Amino acid sequence: VAQRLARAGYCAIVPDLYHGKTYEYSDFNSAIAHLKTLNDAVVMQEAHMAIQALQQRAEVRKDAIGTLGFCMGGRYAFMANAIHAEHLRAAVAFYGGGIAPDQDSVGRKSVLHLADQMGAPLLLLYGAEDQSITPGEHGRIATALSAAGKRYTLTVFPGAPHGFFADPRDSFRPDAAQEGWRLTLDHFTRYLGASA
């Protein structure tokens, strides 16, 4: 994804939240076990370090930094948009799990209390067939953001499951992935300015 952003003319950095540990898609249980050990405060510190690293690069406009995340990264993009609001101008969350769950399978707490702190326009992309993020959660997110007076767009793709952007997984849906990527680049162009 970072390479796709670079091809679109953006400078991209990916914080290594798992500190060098990688998992095959087939080893889902180990990846989830590791996810359960992540500390939100530490992840937000690492996000801040990534923002600082971007700000130190001569080719990066300091007033045009955005955040993008998928699944757990979507939740962290949502959080960063509040915690690092002074540095971000756009945020995109693809099927951000754990933003406003009734009960989260990995024990994460809702982060909707951060809605009031959000600064950047937020694009949220979900699949209608996502069994882990229900329409009720979409509603809670929309209600919190609307009540906070925030700029957001929430889009649901019919027939798309969780992970619809993740090529080459079984969940990959090319049409939803292509449209989601176009919406992402449109969002970044609008709020970060045209890429090179």
Side-chain angles (χ1 to χ4, degrees):
V1 173
Q3 291 173 344
R4 289 182 72 168
L5 286 167
R7 285 192 297 271
Y10 294 97
C11 182
I13 188 169
V14 182
D16 181 8
L17 303 182
Y18 278 15
H19 302 155
K21 183 71 177 160
T22 61
Y23 300 95
E24 296 294 327
Y25 281 127
S26 59
D27 193 7
F28 184 74
N29 291 336
S30 295
I32 292 300
H34 196 147
L35 167 61
K36 290 179 180 180
T37 70
L38 294 181
N39 178 293
D40 287 346
V42 171
V43 171
M44 288 298 103
Q45 288 172 350
E46 292 178 353
H48 187 247
M49 288 188 285
I51 291 167
Q52 288 179 316
L54 285 172
Q55 290 173 330
Q56 292 169 6
R57 299 192 63 91
E59 71 272 28
V60 173
R61 286 186 25 230
K62 286 36 165 192
D63 64 341
I65 295 176
T67 183
L68 166 65
F70 298 80
C71 189
M72 75 169 192
R75 179 176 184 268
Y76 288 132
F78 186 97
M79 292 179 68
N81 191 25
I83 293 168
H84 304 300
E86 70 275 17
H87 301 295
L88 298 175
R89 298 296 170 261
V92 178
F94 274 79
Y95 36 87
I99 292 174
D102 271 335
Q103 272 190 316
D104 188 66
S105 61
V106 290
R108 296 169 295 188
K109 293 188 165 78
S110 170
V111 292
L112 287 184
H113 64 281
L114 298 172
D116 285 337
Q117 300 172 46
M118 292 199 169
L122 175 64
L123 173 63
L124 300 137
L125 305 165
Y126 292 105
E129 304 304 319
D130 190 334
Q131 301 303 308
S132 62
I133 305 171
T134 65
E137 186 166 352
H138 303 164
R140 288 189 294 277
I141 293 167
T143 297
L145 291 170
S146 293
K150 301 304 174 179
R151 180 70 183 254
Y152 73 96
T153 302
L154 192 153
T155 297
V156 177
F157 294 96
H162 191 81
F164 65 81
F165 192 83
D167 184 14
R169 292 177 64 190
D170 291 341
S171 60
F172 179 60
R173 297 297 183 271
D175 291 344
Q178 182 178 14
E179 185 177 354
W181 188 247
R182 181 185 58 76
L183 291 171
T184 297
L185 293 182
D186 289 349
H187 189 74
F188 283 165
T189 297
R190 180 170 184 182
Y191 296 109
L192 303 180
S195 60

